[in-house]
Amino acid sequence: MSTFRTTATRAARGALSGLLTGFTALAVAECVAGLVRPAAGPVTVVGGAVVDRTPAALKDFAVRTFGENDKVVLQLGIVVLLALFAAGLGILSLRHRRTAAAGVLLFGLVGAAAALDRPDSAGLADALPSLAGAVVGLGVLYVLGAQAARTGPAARPASGTGASGAAWNRRGFLATAAVTAVSATGVGVLGRFLTDRRAQGAVASRAGVVLPAPASPAPPVPRGARLDVPGLSAFTTANRDFYRVDTALVVPKVDAGTWRLRIHGKGVPRPRSFTFADLLARPLAERDITLTCVSNEVGGRYVGTARWLGVPLAGLLAECGVKPPSRGGPADQLVARSVDGMTLGSPVEDVMDGRDALLAVGMNGEPLPFDHGFPVRMVVPGLYGYVSACKWLTDIELTTFDAYDPYWVRRSWARRAPVKTQSRIDTPRPFARPAAGPVTIAGVAWAQHRGISRVQVRVDDGPWQDADLASQDTADTWRQWSFPWTATPGGHTLSVRATDGTGRVQTEQRTRTVPDGASGWHSVFVSVS
């Protein structure tokens, strides 16, 4: 029993040595990243590599299960795995110090390789955070591991020192561990300070933006477009409530003063670069547009409407000499690139067919929030976000669908993805227990660029009945609807379907989000008392 207890105690001290090694290595790496480039931190680059290599179905599951917290869950998972790996190395170092040291170096090499492989890599400097963390971690593991191996009855004191020698070793180990933990925490705090300081320029640049008045203001929203029904989604989605789905583990903070947009590629006789000031100086258009994420399940919440302010994209492309394929242009795909290396591909024909495709600089009366793409993002009504809504935009390249597959297409999503007609019941909520009598069923329906002409509701297996439609703002926004129902006691299934502006009825066929968006009727079950 005594031998088992001694072995367990040594293993615990070895694990603690490993955990402190991992903590120190991460703290140093993040601190160096604050000096080099915050996005080059090991958790970020390794997380990005995991995201890039995750199958589309699994990634869709993560979004569906964890929602906008999917990135937090991923980062926590990486930290937990790293902690287990570090604890294992600490235990291993008690008997095989060189092998454990090789494990620490492996940590650094994996992080460095992931940093250099990122689409937005700035070069060899991006490898420094992971390598620096590994080198410092190696030193910490050597010191703590050596003390952990000597501490306790299993490490017999030299002749004449007695038990006091072992006791001193225990105290020395704990003191060294405490100093290491405090020092690593201080380094981590310094790293956070450096990262925040690097972002100050971007924060200040956004705070200093004064959005010009639009040359083409959005038409007033019709008075009847906003229904007053408790539980119904607001017609305009507040910025804080607008969905966010992207692959950025760290939200890019771009200084508008140094930002540039380049337009170039196939069939661009006059390539140009624009500054943020250049865009603000142009005539701006203001439009209410509903955006939808392709990861939105039937009845999901990844859809919202905002008032966008931006430069009409078609006009900007025309100035560069771009022609759509219908007018003889050689390029049929517009590839938008983000500052973090994300690529999204949009049909050139769609962005130049007269719809209000924008390079947005404002959202609901303020500069774009960082989470939603400051300083500039694309907004193209009628297309799912993954083929149109590039955030933190920095480059537009004209090419063909045959010549280039953007990020999501390489991961089994469709090349072309017009938004499907969808409708949703907002109230009553699933498994609600309304009282018998008058109950208002209400929700929203959308089919951007086609509009909504009809919404119908069905109770159980009864007939489809027309809902009351709110006034249509534009074909590019969702439409609210309501239906008065006299609820009877018992369980009931409520279903909804919509008809778009072309007369096409929303399909009943259920499909998942991959490869081009979910379809099917939304239903909720309620128990009437």
Side-chain angles (χ1 to χ4, degrees), residues 504-528:
R504 187 170 183 177
V505 180
Q506 177 183 346
T507 180
E508 179 185 9
Q509 182 179 2
R510 277 270 181 165
T511 62
R512 303 304 295 266
T513 57
V514 182
D516 60 355
S519 66
W521 298 336
H522 185 218
S523 299
V524 300
F525 179 81
V526 298
S527 297
V528 180

Side-chain angles (χ1 to χ4, degrees), residues 227-319:
L227 301 182
D228 185 15
V229 178
L232 177 62
S233 298
F235 176 80
T236 300
T237 309
N239 289 355
R240 66 179 179 276
D241 298 326
F242 209 94
Y243 75 89
R244 178 198 164 201
V245 178
D246 52 55
T247 63
L249 298 181
V250 176
V251 174
K253 287 187 167 59
V254 182
D255 190 326
T258 60
W259 176 86
R260 297 292 185 274
L261 171 66
R262 181 185 176 212
I263 299 178
H264 63 106
K266 189 179 183 70
V268 186
R270 296 184 292 277
R272 290 190 60 183
S273 292
F274 299 89
T275 66
F276 188 65
D278 290 337
L279 296 188
L280 292 186
R282 300 176 66 88
L284 303 182
E286 181 185 61
R287 296 292 184 266
D288 293 320
I289 298 172
T290 298
L291 295 187
T292 309
C293 179
V294 74
S295 294
N296 195 48
E297 294 280 352
V298 172
R301 299 281 160 173
Y302 294 148
V303 57
T305 299
R307 176 158 289 189
W308 305 95
L309 177 71
V311 177
L313 178 55
L316 210 61
L317 294 174
E319 287 183 19

Side-chain angles (χ1 to χ4, degrees), residues 54-79:
T54 300
L58 183 56
K59 191 175 299 182
D60 185 55
F61 168 80
V63 173
R64 186 170 64 252
T65 305
F66 302 112
E68 296 184 22
N69 295 316
D70 60 331
K71 301 170 189 64
V72 176
V73 172
L74 172 61
Q75 290 174 309
L76 286 176
I78 291 173
V79 171

Side-chain angles (χ1 to χ4, degrees), residues 328-353:
D332 60 4
Q333 180 179 209
L334 179 155
V335 175
R337 286 185 175 83
S338 167
V339 297
D340 65 353
M342 172 57 66
T343 56
L344 306 182
S346 308
V348 175
E349 196 68 49
D350 288 354
V351 299
M352 300 188 74
D353 67 358

